[in-house]
Amino acid sequence: MHVRRAERDDLLAVGRVAEAAQWSTYGSLLSPPTVEAMIRRDFSPGTLRRRLLSGGLLVAEVDGIVAGAAHGYVAEGAVHLDALVTDPTHRRRGVATALLQAVRDLDPSLPVCADVLLGNDIGERFYEAAGFVPGEILHATLIGEPLVERRWWLSPAWVPAG
């Protein structure tokens, strides 16, 4: 597996991975129109281009195929992991863990936060296993459907002095 910064030629593959991941993860939690709206909001071609230009869009390749993607950025004293998707056929193979490490490397001295829809057992189990602890509850709506998320926090990486 190889994790690297995304390139323009990766955006179509990232979109396909994200769509499969979102339906697999949220298809039983949210209404189909809400899942579609989430995909359009978070992984439209325009959003992916903006993420690419920000420098925080990463891809994980397995045998030369994009198997996952993540987007992170540093703001307000934390590394924000605002997207982490793995092709369902590549789950439980270390793809998300490798992407999380690459996002954490944006600034290892800062905590990492990620918002996870309550009931997303796949995400909650992953973040807990990765060492995150549950934090505040966030309320939002997407095309009129109420969403309740929990922000998960990962402490800064320990770096020995000197």
Side-chain angles (χ1 to χ4, degrees):
M1 179 181 347
H2 175 64
V3 175
R4 60 175 174 77
R5 292 224 183 258
E7 299 171 355
R8 188 169 180 247
D9 290 344
D10 296 317
L11 296 185
L12 186 60
V14 170
R16 281 195 303 262
V17 166
E19 185 170 0
Q22 297 298 81
W23 280 110
S24 171
T25 302
Y26 299 111
S28 63
L29 292 173
L30 301 169
S31 70
T34 301
V35 176
E36 290 171 4
M38 186 181 296
I39 292 167
R40 281 193 312 273
R41 179 192 69 190
D42 298 337
F43 300 102
S44 70
T47 299
L48 289 176
R49 280 192 297 275
R50 282 189 296 280
R51 288 180 172 182
L52 177 70
L53 292 172
S54 77
L57 184 61
L58 306 164
V59 294
E61 291 180 317
V62 175
D63 299 326
I65 304 294
V66 173
H71 181 256
Y73 62 93
V74 176
E76 302 169 359
V79 176
H80 296 260
L81 174 58
D82 70 345
L84 178 62
V85 292
T86 303
D87 185 301
T89 63
H90 286 90
R91 286 187 176 153
R92 303 191 60 79
R93 297 183 186 176
V95 173
T97 301
L99 286 163
L100 171 61
Q101 184 58 52
V103 168
R104 185 177 208 174
D105 289 345
L106 293 172
D107 191 331
S109 70
L110 294 176
V112 178
C113 66
D115 300 340
V116 180
L117 186 71
L118 288 183
N120 174 357
D121 294 336
I122 294 167
E124 290 174 337
R125 283 192 306 264
F126 170 76
Y127 288 111
E128 189 170 20
F132 283 72
V133 295
E136 56 272 30
I137 298 292
L138 309 167
H139 296 271
T141 59
L142 183 59
I143 65 165
E145 185 166 350
L147 303 177
V148 180
E149 296 177 312
R150 179 181 306 279
R151 180 159 291 160
W152 289 77
W153 289 95
L154 182 63
S155 295
W158 180 79
V159 180

